[in-house]
Amino acid sequence: MKPWVAGRVTVDTSRQALYGHSFGGLFALYALFTRPSAFQTWIAASPALYWEERAIDRFLETFEAAVPAGLAATMILSAGEYETEKLAPFQIGAEDEEKRLRQKKVTHTDEFARAMAQRLDALPGVRARFELHAGENHMSILPVTVNRAVQAAFAVRACD
């Protein structure tokens, strides 16, 4: 994909970012663990870390054992407030309320992403952080995190 993009637009190879949401967020982590020099900034929004009984951990362990010297990576992981054990207001009392609550006990999106950020931040050459976005669920977080990805890619500080 990178050569295709570079063939069409001018690319600053010293400032490249990869953004993914849900399974795309899981892919962003996989890409960091397997090709850490491919990008400088990585954004994993609501990453599906639970998938296949946390299969991503095998790649993380390999990465941790051999973090490349000179690596300078920034990783932002995030989740929405309603990806915690809380339901969004429109989900409370809905026909599928119990199903949604059961699924949250499987996905643990906020818990797993927060722990992943802490684990990555402890590695040399990796700056990682977790962001919890108030009032957002798994889908409504998309525009918020795309905005954060653009800010991170262009090193624009967000207003606190």
Side-chain angles (χ1 to χ4, degrees):
M1 187 70 167
K2 287 176 70 174
W4 182 85
V5 171
R8 285 157 179 73
V9 296
T10 302
V11 174
D12 180 350
T13 58
S14 68
R15 277 185 11 176
Q16 295 184 79
L18 178 65
Y19 167 88
H21 169 260
S22 195
F23 283 108
L26 183 64
F27 175 75
L29 286 158
Y30 170 80
L32 170 64
F33 301 156
T34 60
R35 291 180 176 75
S37 63
F39 299 92
Q40 294 75 42
T41 304
W42 313 76
I43 301 95
S46 301
L49 296 169
Y50 70 93
W51 186 73
E52 291 293 325
E53 297 175 13
R54 293 195 54 117
I56 193 68
D57 287 343
R58 291 191 308 270
F59 298 96
L60 170 59
E61 290 162 6
T62 301
F63 178 70
E64 286 174 319
V67 175
L71 181 66
T74 298
M75 170 56 82
I76 302 169
L77 292 103
S78 62
E81 173 185 9
Y82 300 123
E83 292 186 274
T84 64
E85 293 182 13
K86 294 169 68 175
L87 289 173
F90 69 88
Q91 296 169 332
I92 297 171
E95 188 175 298
D96 64 348
E97 178 178 354
E98 285 304 314
K99 178 183 173 189
R100 288 179 184 273
L101 288 169
R102 280 193 309 275
Q103 184 64 17
K104 288 172 182 287
K105 292 181 189 310
V106 171
T107 59
H108 298 280
T109 304
D110 65 313
E111 177 187 336
F112 290 166
R114 186 183 308 271
M116 178 69 74
Q118 290 172 343
R119 195 165 166 180
L120 290 173
D121 197 52
L123 298 175
V126 180
R127 290 183 316 150
R129 67 180 179 272
F130 173 78
E131 298 176 352
L132 184 66
H133 297 287
E136 306 300 341
N137 64 35
H138 190 70
M139 294 309 295
S140 71
I141 199 172
L142 276 162
V144 174
T145 57
V146 167
N147 183 43
R148 294 291 296 126
V150 170
Q151 291 171 352
F154 294 101
V156 174
R157 273 187 56 100
C159 296
D160 294 333

